[in-house]
Amino acid sequence: MRFVPSHLKQSAATLDRRSAVRSMLLIFAAVMVCVSAMVFTALDRVGHYANQLDEERSREAVTGAIQTFRDQLTATLHDYVAWDDAVTHTQDPLDLEWLQRNFGMMSYQSELFDVVMVLDGAGKPVIAYSEGKPIVSAILSSYMTPDAWLLFKRVASGKADAVPEASSFVSTIKGVAAVGVGLIRPRMAVDAERPSPSYYVVMMRHLKGVSLERLSRAYVLPGLHMADVEIDGTHRVDIKGPDDKPFTALGWVSRSPGDTSLAQVRPLVWCAVAMIAIYMLLLFVTGSQALSRLSADEAAAVKLSLTDRLSGLPNRAGLFAGMADLVDKAQRDNKDVALLYLDLDGFKEVNDAYGHATGDLLIRSVSAGLRVLVGEGSVLARLGGDEFAISFAGFDVHKTAIELSERVLDFLGEPLTIGERVAVIGCSIGLAVSRRGLVPGEELIRRADMAMYRSKEDGRGRWTLYDPSMDEEREERNLLELDLRAAIDRHEITVSYQPVVDARTLRISGVEALARWNRDGHGPVSPDLFIPIAESTGLIDMLGLCVLRSACLALKSWPDLTLSVNVSPGQFRDPAFVGHVAKLLEDTEVDAARLTLEMTETYFVQNPARARQTLDLLRKTGVKIALDDFGSGFSSVGYLRQFGFDRMKIDRSLVQSVGEGGRALEMLRATVALARSLDMPVTAEGVETEAQAMALRLAGCDLLQGFLFGKAMAAADIDRLRMSGPLFTLSNTG
Ligand code: C2E
Ligand code: MG
Ligand code: MG
């Protein structure tokens, strides 16, 4: 299982969005519930008010109807009792027949009254009719109920109102009726005046059947009916008897217009709410789908931005992300974090020699191999180019890191199949450890990187553990670089000349220009120190040209000498270099044939094709090319032949071992023989002893250079040497 940085599992933004969607959904649901509740409550209220209004209106109408019902009876009664004819016909002798005709018969199918009785002053019925028919005396009391008698007594006693009439409601055998009792009297009678004998009319109109229907129609009160006062109900108006106590009630069927309207509106409102809910839900569904698509895209983009496309491994950003998780874990578990910084040694060569496609293949193979070597829970990343990093947390990370480094070195030290080719790549590793994950990721990488450079400097193919002293050295190196830059700007780099003597005469025949820097406040700095810095910082172009110019100018006053100037690979790589040399030769008017440029073989090994091109161009200017320091590095015979140098300079190390005798001398001889077989004259460098000089001369070197003849010196000293004879006298010149 590979290490997956936590932010790839689920980015914080994605989580945020999900919880936002979730809370939006909740809010939406809550809003929908609230809105629905409010709408339905409002509807209920409207319905309730409508019902209430209807109830009030109905109540008023029923009250009015009862009142009107009674008033009508009272009016009819009044017409019948305040009637002169009736008075006449009730005087002695009592005209029964008239009473029957004008009172009794009138109750038949009358809309005004249905029961009528004429009573004498003692309450004895004279006539009693119900709906045009006489009432048998047996059931008379069913009409003249105690309540009816109460009313009668009130009128008969004269304690009634000003008018000797009274009305109320009573309950009879036929049901509830409006009842009126009035004294028969002349129409214009004075109130106190009572005829004698006195007769009273009891008139009733029952509230039922046709009368109820009529009321119902007239007052638009559906379902008007007699109701029971005992039964609890709201849709009724009580009807009171003469004693002012409710004994019955008139009820109606409530139309509940609010409920009816509500019943009609409610489904529509439900529909509307449901539609809104569905619409919002659809919005949410599409919204969250878009959101999850966006989240997926974002996760893919994040993953892509953290992944190296070529190898499929995390890139630099991916490494940081992975390390952040490792550091978290390390701090929790009290573990240390280690970082291995790997740089392939031979990647550039493969890329240059076989092209980028092969280079890409190499990166893929190396990545695949490292994946197998790297343990579970570790982060393996490609930082770009040929640089990789491995990070992991643990308790004894030093040991584990070193073991892993060894395994990686072993793996990359083996020949690697790249497509159809096989190459040994090798690598340099820097190790850095962060105790308890306290060193920030960036700093850890910097330390491991620095340690890796130390591995490179120390000869590649090895691991180096970071040491704080490396920082001091780096700091010192940075200061040196700053000072060097300033020195070049201020033309403080001077040139010294080391004499090169003819092996035969031992007289000076030429000079090698060597750069010198007297660093302000520090004294002389060795070229072995500042030249590599100038090379790595690009300052070498300027420095090299300065040396070349000074040397060419000096050469003008030494017409009998040749000049050698060192050229760095960095300068050689500069496409403008050849042009600069040509321009300089032209400016200083120096014969190109007297100038030799010295090159070490590193560049020829690294970039054979490009090197050949530059060499050809340089040759066209007329300068010679010498292979410097032969015998110190690869010393490839193939390269010697291939590039056809104009001169070989045997390295000091080879020369100095000559005095020790044995195989060294043989090697020297063989080397010179090899050069000569290729028509290459040979200069021996670093000649310090007479014995060496002798041996070299015998071996076939035509030029000698070394402290035996003189160290690098100022131009003025060369002037002096030119005038002198041989720079050294060999005891045996044979
Ligand atoms: P090099 O080109 O091989 O130069 C010869 C070096 O050997 C010089 O060291 C010289 O002082 C030293 N040497 C000569 N004879 C003897 C001897 O008998 N015994 C010993 N022990 N040393 C001897 P120097 O001047 O320190 O330069 C070192 C290297 O720095 C040079 O090696 C050359 O590669 C580089 N260098 C010097 N000046 C320049 C320059 O202007 N441009 C470039 N690119 N490189 C330069
Ligand atoms: Mg040299
Ligand atoms: Mg040399």
Side-chain angles (χ1 to χ4, degrees), residues 63-344:
T63 311
I66 294 169
Q67 189 60 44
T68 309
F69 193 75
R70 182 174 145 182
D71 289 351
Q72 274 177 358
L73 184 84
T74 311
T76 311
L77 176 78
H78 181 75
D79 283 349
Y80 276 83
V81 290
W83 188 12
D84 295 339
D85 283 355
V87 174
T88 310
H89 290 286
T90 50
Q91 296 301 311
D92 269 344
L94 186 70
D95 188 351
L96 254 180
E97 192 268 332
W98 187 89
L99 285 177
Q100 281 164 350
R101 197 162 18 90
N102 287 290
F103 283 86
M105 293 304 163
M106 283 303 153
S107 67
Y108 178 67
Q109 286 190 345
S110 165
E111 285 182 15
L112 301 174
F113 58 94
D114 50 10
V115 171
V116 66
M117 290 175 230
V118 178
L119 309 181
D120 64 12
K124 190 169 163 256
V126 180
I127 59 159
Y129 274 82
S130 168
E131 292 180 35
K133 287 186 188 139
I135 302 169
V136 290
S137 54
I139 59 160
L140 200 68
S141 61
S142 307
Y143 289 97
M144 276 312 284
T145 60
D147 278 347
W149 281 120
L150 202 68
L151 215 59
F152 172 80
K153 277 175 198 152
R154 199 177 291 163
V155 177
S157 64
K159 286 179 209 148
D161 302 325
V163 183
E165 289 168 19
S167 66
S168 183
F169 283 94
V170 291
S171 180
T172 73
I173 192 172
K174 277 169 76 182
V176 176
V179 58
V181 179
L183 172 72
I184 296 176
R185 62 189 187 274
R187 188 162 192 79
M188 293 303 186
V190 181
D191 287 346
E193 203 177 292
R194 284 175 175 260
S196 182
S198 298
Y199 286 94
Y200 296 89
V201 175
V202 177
M203 208 172 251
M204 289 179 183
R205 186 181 175 200
H206 281 89
L207 247 179
K208 61 171 195 174
V210 182
S211 352
L212 264 183
E213 269 168 36
R214 268 200 206 116
L215 274 183
S216 191
R217 263 202 311 279
Y219 289 89
V220 199
L221 291 163
L224 211 55
H225 60 276
M226 297 317 297
D228 198 335
V229 277
E230 299 299 317
I231 296 167
D232 201 15
T234 46
H235 311 306
R236 61 154 216 259
V237 171
D238 290 346
I239 295 174
K240 292 173 183 167
D243 56 356
D244 223 21
K245 283 187 191 143
F247 67 96
T248 187
L250 194 58
W252 67 94
V253 176
S254 171
R255 286 167 302 182
S256 304
D259 291 353
T260 317
S261 319
L262 221 90
Q264 276 174 359
V265 170
R266 196 175 276 129
L268 288 176
V269 175
W270 267 120
C271 269
V273 169
M275 272 163 74
I276 291 171
I278 289 170
Y279 173 71
M280 295 296 273
L281 220 71
L282 278 175
L283 261 186
F284 260 115
V285 169
T286 46
S288 34
Q289 271 174 352
L291 216 69
S292 52
R293 261 202 308 278
L294 218 70
S295 302
D297 288 354
E298 187 199 77
V302 167
K303 190 172 176 181
L304 208 70
S305 72
L306 298 175
T307 308
D308 169 56
R309 286 240 226 122
L310 180 58
S311 61
L313 297 176
N315 56 18
R316 183 173 274 269
L319 173 71
F320 279 124
M323 275 178 73
D325 286 356
L326 275 183
V327 166
D328 272 358
K329 220 181 289 165
Q331 286 176 347
R332 264 202 316 275
D333 306 343
N334 255 349
K335 286 181 179 172
D336 297 336
V337 176
L339 182 78
L340 275 72
Y341 201 110
L342 274 79
D343 187 286
L344 303 184

Side-chain angles (χ1 to χ4, degrees), residues 498 512 515-516 527-528 566 568 628-629 652 685-686 688 706-707:
Q498 185 176 28
E512 177 176 0
R516 290 290 175 263
D528 287 329
N566 294 289
S568 286
D628 204 355
D629 301 342
R652 197 168 67 219
E685 295 187 285
E688 288 183 355
F707 292 172

Side-chain angles (χ1 to χ4, degrees), residues 495 497 511 513 544-558 563-565 580-581 583-592 594-597 623:
V495 184
Y497 302 92
V511 289
L545 282 176
C546 285
V547 171
L548 191 61
R549 179 176 290 278
S550 302
C552 284
L553 287 173
L555 190 66
K556 282 174 82 173
S557 45
W558 305 323
L563 169 70
S564 290
V565 178
H580 288 320
V581 173
K583 173 92 183 7
L584 224 143
L585 288 171
E586 200 184 309
D587 290 352
T588 53
E589 294 171 340
V590 162
D591 177 10
R594 291 169 63 206
L595 176 64
T596 301
L597 298 180
V623 297

Side-chain angles (χ1 to χ4, degrees), residues 638-653:
Y639 287 119
L640 270 186
R641 263 224 321 263
Q642 195 182 336
F643 294 104
F645 296 103
D646 299 300
R647 175 168 289 277
M648 176 199 277
K649 288 190 82 173
I650 296 182
D651 189 61
R652 197 168 67 219
S653 57

Side-chain angles (χ1 to χ4, degrees), residues 11-82:
S11 81
T14 310
L15 280 175
D16 278 358
R17 243 177 248 140
R18 279 204 191 145
S19 63
V21 168
R22 208 172 298 137
S23 30
M24 286 273 280
L25 215 72
L26 279 175
I27 291 172
F28 164 70
V31 166
M32 277 315 287
V33 167
C34 284
V35 167
S36 309
M38 276 158 75
V39 167
F40 285 108
T41 310
L43 281 177
D44 272 349
R45 289 241 172 105
V46 169
H48 179 72
Y49 287 136
N51 286 344
Q52 216 170 28
L53 275 178
D54 186 67
E55 170 80 16
E56 276 165 22
R57 192 201 68 81
S58 301
R59 185 173 301 283
E60 278 166 18
V62 171
T63 311
I66 294 169
Q67 189 60 44
T68 309
F69 193 75
R70 182 174 145 182
D71 289 351
Q72 274 177 358
L73 184 84
T74 311
T76 311
L77 176 78
H78 181 75
D79 283 349
Y80 276 83
V81 290

